[in-house]
Amino acid sequence: MTFEVVMAGFGGQGVMLMGQILAYAGMVHGKQVSWMPSYGPEMRGGTANCTVIVADEAVGSPVVAHPYAVVALNRPSLDKFESAVRPGGVLIYNESLISTPPTRSDIKVVAVAANQIADELGNVKVANMVALGALLEVTDLVPMECIIAALKKALPAHRQDMLAVNLAAIERGKQAAVIP
Amino acid sequence: MSERVLMKGNEAIAEAAIQAGCRFFFGYPITPQNELPEYMSRRMPQVEGTFLQAESEVAAINMVYGAAGAGARVMTSSSSPGISLKQEGISYLAGAELPAVIVNIVRGGPGLGSIQPSQGAYFQAVKGGGHGDYRLLVLAPANLQEAVDLVTEAFDLADLYRNPVLILGDGLLGQMMEPVEFRKLPSRELPPKTWATTGMRHHPHKNIINSLVLDAPGLEKHILHLQEKYARMNLHEQRAKSLHCADAEVVIVAYGSTARIAKTAVMSLRQSGLKVGLFRPVTLWPFPVNTLSELVPKVKAFLTVEMNAGQMVEDVKLAVNGARPVHFYGRMGGMVPTPEEISSECVRVLGGVR
């Protein structure tokens, strides 16, 4: 099986890191993985996105037109990628920043208040991890122990104290992921 | 370091060079390869190497000339417009027979073009680029593990043939992350660098590194010597990978990141029962003529897919030599073909051969 995930948001929301954690976790899980960033001439405050592929076979194209899942952390990202989700796929959106819900009915749409939950945890920077938790809950892409291993690898030595709040954010995201 | 790590292509190439003993890096920034010099700037001091951001690409390539002349393992990297600026120095390296590894993470052109992936530098890489009758050994990885392995080998090949080796990637390979492992590869037996200018305390006679030969018979003799060397490279270094070619009616020919996208297309066409294969040159020069021409009698048509307006397709046509139709599909300017596009192009070609 091949699962493609596009993660998108404002620059600074941590979509690149979120993607790297998922890719790293996939690798730890023994899957074939790739991570590909958008690297266009984006302005500050503009949108950024990355594509992560977790597969059983070697990854072919690292970019896809119709991913299995999209995680949209802001409104422009939802506008750009809602129509791209493959029928039967998954769309996670950040309802803290997106007031008008998606309209697709042929995919699993999951709302998660990523910023609000991150705020409650005392660090709005972990909103990306809340959204990642929601994705993991809905898709079963990789087991939690692989995510923990990936976080330990991805966090630099002087940021290891952030592990607990990141894990808490993922847990809260998992709990919050309800299919309406 | 033998565990698998998730790395960006640019960083993986840099680490592979360090592990291959590269201790000098001279470069000048340009997207989409900036992570490579950035990584070098961090790593070189840790291994007592030298990282230098030169004042220009021209300066950087001539610093490569100097370090290579002194027998060091040296690398430079850039992207299309920067590599164009380096062409004079690359020609000098080839003329003076200096081993060096040059990385081109290609972006859209001509001109400053775009920063998105492209394969528009194929002609420049394999047909010269600089002036004179010279060749580079050109290696085209399609995934990051292969990039790591080929960079490791590139330093050996450069030393073995006393010739610059070019790693031809593109923005996709430079920017993406994949798991890689830095493994020990069987190393070649390499001749000692008795020609290097290391000072007369180290060698009894004067060593001179030079590409200027004013006397015409002398220069012709030197060029003939180079041609003999290129013939040896052509004989020993052609490399390609084939997938599902044994019973294929149509074979896609693609290299680098286009080949991995084509592979996705081949796998899905095979699932629909279509007899399609993939031939992937790993060396672009020498072009793998021998293995490609073996396919000619078994195949009904070829489809070359590139991220350019049709460059490698000329070498495919030379290898096929008119015996079979050679079709072309290309995207340009930073547009990356999708597996679906390649599939439908393949189906169109298949329809024509039935």
Side-chain angles (χ1 to χ4, degrees):
Chain A
M1 290 294 282
T2 298
F3 294 102
E4 313 92 352
V5 185
V6 169
M7 296 166 165
F10 286 128
Q13 275 187 305
V15 291
M16 299 300 180
L17 179 67
M18 175 170 49
Q20 286 175 17
I21 302 277
L22 179 61
Y24 229 126
M27 182 184 87
V28 173
H29 191 37
K31 300 286 181 184
Q32 304 286 333
V33 298
S34 72
W35 173 92
M36 179 74 203
S38 63
Y39 67 96
E42 306 287 4
M43 60 181 181
R44 184 169 173 176
T47 58
N49 71 77
C50 65
T51 305
V52 175
I53 300 181
V54 180
D56 292 322
E57 303 277 319
V59 177
S61 175
V63 283
V64 287
H66 298 290
Y68 162 68
V70 165
V71 180
L73 292 188
N74 66 355
R75 177 86 227 190
S77 300
L78 182 68
D79 291 345
K80 188 170 176 187
F81 290 109
E82 180 180 349
S83 61
V85 183
R86 197 193 303 158
V90 173
L91 173 59
I92 312 275
Y93 76 100
N94 180 7
E95 65 176 344
S96 302
L97 298 183
I98 303 169
S99 49
T100 335
T103 54
R104 292 269 302 265
S105 56
D106 59 336
I107 54 174
K108 251 188 238 176
V109 175
V110 177
V112 59
N115 286 52
Q116 190 193 322
I117 292 172
D119 249 346
E120 287 166 18
L121 290 167
N123 190 337
V124 74
K125 283 187 200 161
V126 297
N128 57 347
M129 292 298 131
V130 177
L132 179 62
L135 177 74
L136 295 172
E137 181 67 20
V138 181
T139 61
D140 270 337
L141 273 171
V142 285
M144 196 55 199
E145 68 259 27
C146 298
I147 292 283
I148 296 171
L151 266 173
K152 284 182 182 164
K153 290 235 183 210
L155 290 172
H158 65 285
R159 288 264 185 269
Q160 288 290 326
D161 58 321
M162 297 295 287
L163 187 63
V165 67
N166 277 282
L167 289 176
I170 292 171
E171 280 307 330
R172 288 288 303 275
K174 277 172 167 273
Q175 291 159 16
V178 276
I179 301 168
Chain B
M1 210 196 293
S2 66
E3 60 164 343
R4 289 196 335 145
V5 285
L6 193 67
M7 279 180 104
K8 257 196 168 190
N10 286 328
E11 296 182 339
I13 287 171
E15 181 60 34
I18 298 232
Q19 304 231 357
C22 174
R23 289 296 176 269
F24 292 85
F25 181 92
F26 306 102
Y28 189 82
I30 184 169
T31 307
Q33 62 84 57
N34 282 326
E35 295 84 357
L36 205 166
E38 186 189 2
Y39 188 90
M40 285 296 197
S41 71
R42 195 163 64 239
R43 277 290 273 137
M44 275 301 185
Q46 295 171 359
V47 293
E48 294 178 6
T50 296
F51 165 86
L52 201 151
Q53 181 174 317
E55 65 269 38
S56 72
E57 285 86 350
V58 176
I61 195 70
N62 284 295
M63 291 172 185
V64 169
Y65 185 100
R73 284 203 153 176
V74 53
M75 177 189 254
T76 187
S77 69
S78 192
S79 179
S80 308
I83 292 288
S84 291
L85 289 164
K86 286 177 174 156
Q87 288 304 325
E88 181 197 44
I90 292 172
S91 171
Y92 279 41
L93 283 163
E97 290 193 272
L98 291 177
V101 176
I102 301 149
V103 179
N104 186 359
I105 301 297
V106 182
R107 57 189 250 175
L112 271 181
S114 78
I115 61 173
Q116 298 301 320
S118 162
Q119 294 180 320
Y122 178 90
F123 280 153
Q124 185 189 56
V126 307
K127 310 279 181 196
H131 57 281
D133 281 308
Y134 78 92
R135 295 290 187 180
L136 301 178
L137 227 152
V138 183
L139 309 175
N143 59 64
L144 299 194
Q145 184 61 55
E146 190 177 44
V148 162
D149 294 345
L150 287 178
V151 167
T152 310
E153 249 195 297
F155 283 95
D156 276 5
L157 288 167
D159 283 347
L160 182 66
Y161 291 104
R162 279 189 64 181
N163 206 69
V165 176
L166 180 75
I167 303 285
L168 195 69
D170 62 59
L172 206 93
L173 287 170
Q175 291 296 318
M176 74 182 293
M177 282 180 130
E178 262 183 334
V180 292
E181 194 186 329
F182 297 94
R183 49 195 176 196
K184 263 262 171 288
L185 296 174
S187 52
R188 300 181 183 232
E189 209 170 300
L190 299 172
K193 295 182 174 179
T194 51
W195 45 266
T197 51
T198 49
M200 289 190 65
R201 268 178 299 155
H202 302 284
H203 38 77
H205 47 83
K206 262 188 198 165
N207 278 351
I208 296 171
I209 304 288
N210 183 26
S211 71
L212 177 71
V213 190
L214 285 175
D215 135 70
L219 181 55
E220 187 182 51
K221 191 173 160 221
H222 177 58
I223 297 169
L224 285 171
H225 156 71
L226 291 179
Q227 301 313 305
E228 179 276 325
K229 181 171 81 173
Y230 302 147
R232 268 191 291 128
M233 286 156 70
N234 190 33
L235 186 67
H236 297 297
E237 304 302 339
Q238 288 187 21
R239 252 185 258 181
K241 297 239 162 103
S242 299
L243 175 74
H244 292 313
C245 283
D247 65 339
E249 294 181 351
V250 170
V251 164
I252 299 175
V253 187
Y255 71 93
S257 50
T258 307
R260 60 187 296 152
I261 299 168
K263 185 181 164 192
T264 304
V266 167
M267 300 310 272
S268 82
L269 291 168
R270 280 273 161 181
Q271 277 185 354
S272 345
L274 298 173
K275 290 186 172 172
V276 177
L278 173 66
F279 181 84
R280 174 166 77 84
V282 175
T283 53
L284 300 181
W285 201 93
F287 194 72
V289 177
N290 299 346
T291 36
L292 184 57
S293 51
E294 278 168 23
L295 289 178
V296 172
K298 306 176 195 165
V299 169
K300 290 182 179 162
F302 292 90
L303 169 64
T304 306
V305 184
E306 299 176 73
M307 285 193 284
N308 58 41
Q311 300 193 15
M312 181 182 70
V313 65
E314 293 189 1
D315 285 332
V316 176
K317 283 182 174 168
L318 279 172
V320 173
N321 202 13
R324 292 291 182 274
V326 176
H327 301 264
F328 174 74
Y329 181 73
R331 295 300 304 267
M332 286 144 280
M335 296 302 291
V336 177
T338 63
E340 292 76 19
E341 280 169 54
I342 298 175
S343 292
S344 55
E345 198 58 25
C346 219
V347 168
R348 200 183 59 76
V349 171
L350 263 168
V353 300
R354 281 195 171 149

